[in-house]
Amino acid sequence: MRKKTHEENLKEVKAVLAFEGLELLPELEELILKEAKGEITSLQSEKKAMKILGLSNGKI
């Protein structure tokens, strides 16, 4: 059995979100793929995601 790529997994996540009437921001999609591929660390991803969403220490 073939292992799914990061892109295939992300496509499935986006499909579930769409089913629920939600959408993933392109900037967050890019971060998810970079972290999955090991291009950035989880901490870097978290900090960038918080900045994209306008959060500071988890607070709006």
Side-chain angles (χ1 to χ4, degrees):
M1 186 172 163
R2 182 179 73 81
K3 187 176 178 182
K4 291 182 186 176
T5 66
H6 301 304
E7 289 81 1
E8 289 170 327
N9 284 330
L10 185 58
K11 186 176 180 180
E12 288 183 9
V13 169
K14 289 172 63 175
V16 170
L17 289 173
F19 180 78
E20 295 294 331
L22 302 170
E23 188 176 324
L24 187 61
L25 293 173
E27 297 92 339
L28 294 178
E29 183 177 333
E30 182 180 340
L31 280 180
I32 291 168
L33 286 175
K34 283 184 176 184
E35 183 180 344
K37 293 177 180 179
E39 296 174 7
I40 60 174
T41 66
S42 294
L43 183 58
Q44 289 170 319
S45 181
E46 181 182 336
K47 286 181 179 181
K48 289 180 181 186
M50 288 176 65
K51 186 176 180 180
I52 290 168
L53 296 173
L55 301 174
S56 176
N57 295 324
K59 298 180 182 177
I60 296 176

